[in-house]
Amino acid sequence: MHLKDYLNEYDRFAAAAGVQVVEIGEGYAVAEMTVEKRHVNGANVCQGGAIFTLADLAFAAAVNSGGVLTVGTTNNITYLRSALEGDHLTAEAREEPHHKLPFCEIRVTNQRGELVCVMTGSAYRRKGVAMPPEG
């Protein structure tokens, strides 16, 4: 199974939140989400956790694109603009490769190309463990 299909099916939290990987390349991934009523908080803007989930799925896809199970160790997110119901958000992740400790920057933009947030993340590669799992 291709990593994109695997993540879209087995990352159940992201799938339940309406987040989907749409593209994966070497050290690169794109995930998308449309802000729905279920994502909106009491301030009538998209809840930060929903945006984080979008960025985190793109992060996971990018760092696992090499076929070795890689798990996040730290993430830092800075919100720069609110997202509103109906906005279409795109998270683009680019990995700075490292054999064990990759670093990634994820930029989330809306349908107008405006920067909504920037997230950075570090991860750890599990030597000898395939991603997606075989069998």
Side-chain angles (χ1 to χ4, degrees), residues 12-20 32-42 44-51 84-86:
R12 293 169 185 89
F13 185 83
V19 177
Q20 189 170 66
E32 295 180 340
M33 174 184 88
T34 297
V35 179
E36 300 172 0
K37 183 179 274 323
R38 64 182 165 155
H39 299 118
V40 176
N41 63 20
N44 207 33
V45 297
C46 186
Q47 209 272 345
I51 298 170
L84 304 173
E85 186 175 349

Side-chain angles (χ1 to χ4, degrees), residues 102-116:
F103 177 81
C104 200
E105 180 181 78
I106 306 92
R107 298 173 66 84
V108 176
T109 56
N110 62 23
Q111 69 277 8
R112 293 176 296 281
E114 298 167 329
L115 189 60
V116 173

Side-chain angles (χ1 to χ4, degrees), residues 1-16 19 21 57 131-133 135:
M1 178 180 281
H2 187 272
L3 180 60
K4 181 178 107 173
D5 299 324
Y6 181 84
L7 290 173
N8 285 335
E9 182 174 346
Y10 290 104
D11 191 318
R12 293 169 185 89
F13 185 83
V19 177
V21 176
L57 186 63
M131 182 61 174

